[in-house]
Amino acid sequence: MKFAVIVFPGSNCDIDMYHAIQDELGEEVSYVSHTDTDLSAFDGVLLPGGFSHGDYLRSGAIARFAPIMTAVKEAAQSGKPVLGVCNGFQILLETGLLPGAMKQNRDLKFMCRPTKLRVETNHTMFTSLYEVGEQITIPIAHGEGNYDCDEQTLQAMKQHNQIVFRYVGDNPNGSKDDIAGVINKQGNVLGMMPHPERAVSNLLGSEDGLRLFQSILKHWREKHVITS
Amino acid sequence: MFKVKVYVTLKQGVLDPQGKAVKGALHSMDFQLVEEVRIGKYMELTVDHTENVEAQIEDMCKRLLANPVMEEYSYEIEEVVGQ
């Protein structure tokens, strides 16, 4: 399986993402510049964390208009897995590929620490290797992770099982309904504030994030099984 | 030329963490009269004299300057008379 890691000016988790795929998942991965326009050679798209375009105006607001984003939208429409982590999630929100918006953290502080998440559904191509209700430890690192959406959107997301991860116990940023990650209705675009790519080996403090990437790979292999 | 003043704030009903902190500070300074603080952004655009400026400003606000999911915007357009 071949992954693309999109690099914007100000991305700073692109290398972590690259190595999570190359060294821990053991699949092919390339960096793709924000100025490129073609993702047809890739099976999966990863939008990494960071501060694209300095987070000026709003996080993700300027990155959303990068040339590569047209190709990201096409990849999403064609059903390829698209994962946005942290700033990547913010970009997906600004693009409208996921519902809602991000506000500054409730306590106005940049939070950087491990968090406990509950896996709310394993009926997704990103979480099939987790148990429903399983608690996992994945680190966060953000100043604007206070997820917000209107009541109608929240109800619709609940109805369609679109809330994939929730913070357990302490909600670090004030996000609505303790939301840490959401998926689109079609089930192939996931955005999450915690960083699974920073939790792919016990050397890093947790390997709970690795199964997210393994789930993507499993789904891809099942779709591309060679029948003899 | 026009000078356009754009104001962007969080929608009413969306909790504003910065506004809340500033209100707390004002209260601790004994300004108990303050009931609410909403913090927003102010942008000044200098634009060329063209047709339908307003429609274009509206488009800019919707697509980039504000995020309609949680923000609302308003603007004032002033014509700048050449010296």
Side-chain angles (χ1 to χ4, degrees):
Chain A
M1 187 172 181
K2 205 168 172 195
F3 288 90
V5 173
I6 312 296
V7 183
F8 297 94
S11 293
N12 65 9
C13 302
D14 42 344
I15 300 173
D16 299 49
M17 194 69 98
Y18 184 96
H19 284 285
I21 299 300
Q22 187 184 55
D23 304 334
E24 302 301 329
L25 189 65
E27 292 297 307
E28 270 186 79
V29 57
S30 302
Y31 295 114
V32 175
S33 164
H34 65 114
T35 55
D36 284 352
T37 53
D38 186 11
L39 286 168
S40 56
F42 297 94
D43 307 304
V45 180
L46 306 167
L47 298 167
F51 299 84
S52 57
H53 298 274
D55 271 358
Y56 296 151
L57 194 62
R58 293 179 309 277
S59 309
I62 297 174
R64 171 201 164 180
F65 293 102
I68 195 67
M69 289 310 294
T70 306
V72 172
K73 278 186 235 168
E74 283 165 9
Q77 273 154 18
S78 72
K80 287 181 188 175
V82 176
L83 170 68
V85 170
C86 199
N87 193 227
F89 184 11
Q90 293 161 341
I91 295 168
L92 291 175
L93 292 171
E94 283 284 338
T95 310
L97 284 172
L98 290 172
M102 259 340 146
K103 293 190 302 182
Q104 235 182 345
N105 290 349
R106 175 193 50 214
D107 300 330
L108 306 175
K109 278 188 196 147
F110 188 94
M111 315 287 277
C112 183
R113 57 177 165 82
T115 52
K116 276 231 171 324
L117 307 179
R118 188 171 53 238
V119 181
E120 300 290 5
T121 169
N122 62 3
H123 289 112
T124 81
M125 64 171 81
F126 301 94
T127 56
S128 61
L129 294 173
Y130 296 95
E131 300 294 328
V132 176
E134 185 179 345
Q135 294 196 8
I136 57 175
T137 302
I138 309 264
I140 54 161
H142 60 249
E144 291 183 27
N146 186 349
Y147 180 83
D148 200 20
C149 64
D150 60 35
E151 213 41 49
Q152 203 183 345
T153 307
L154 182 66
Q155 291 312 322
M157 282 202 296
K158 282 183 180 171
Q159 205 185 333
H160 296 104
N161 280 323
Q162 287 176 257
I163 300 166
V164 178
F165 298 109
R166 279 196 176 90
Y167 300 108
V168 182
D170 172 37
N171 177 334
N173 49 34
S175 70
K176 187 167 248 179
D177 207 27
D178 300 329
I179 286 173
V182 298
I183 198 164
N184 65 340
K185 229 186 257 182
Q186 294 70 31
N188 68 313
V189 179
L190 174 72
M192 61 192 294
M193 288 314 292
H195 289 265
E197 81 283 7
R198 293 191 191 179
V200 289
S201 156
N202 281 327
L203 264 179
L204 300 172
S206 166
E207 56 177 12
D208 288 349
L210 184 56
R211 275 178 288 158
L212 189 146
F213 299 104
Q214 289 169 335
S215 298
I216 302 174
L217 180 60
K218 178 171 171 269
H219 175 264
W220 183 82
R221 282 189 175 150
E222 284 166 0
K223 256 179 75 179
H224 294 82
V225 67
I226 299 157
T227 45
S228 50
Chain B
M1 298 280 271
F2 290 106
K3 182 172 269 182
V4 184
K5 297 174 175 177
V6 181
Y7 306 89
V8 178
T9 50
L10 286 172
K11 276 182 187 168
Q12 286 303 323
V14 175
L15 187 72
D16 176 356
Q18 276 193 84
K20 204 176 150 208
V22 171
K23 185 180 91 174
L26 288 169
H27 281 187
S28 72
M29 293 161 73
D30 277 336
F31 291 111
Q32 301 297 338
L33 72 167
V34 178
E35 281 181 24
E36 202 188 5
V37 179
R38 310 284 294 172
I39 293 188
K41 292 172 196 150
Y42 168 66
M43 291 167 248
E44 249 181 39
L45 280 59
T46 306
V47 301
D48 270 344
H49 200 300
T50 49
E51 302 263 307
N52 57 35
V53 174
E54 189 165 347
Q56 294 194 66
I57 296 294
E58 188 73 32
D59 200 27
M60 288 179 208
C61 286
K62 277 202 185 102
R63 289 171 57 201
L64 178 65
L65 303 182
N67 179 344
V69 175
M70 61 169 181
E71 292 174 328
E72 53 197 12
Y73 58 86
S74 60
Y75 50 83
E76 296 160 16
I77 303 175
E78 291 169 13
E79 190 155 9
V80 181
V81 183
Q83 306 291 312

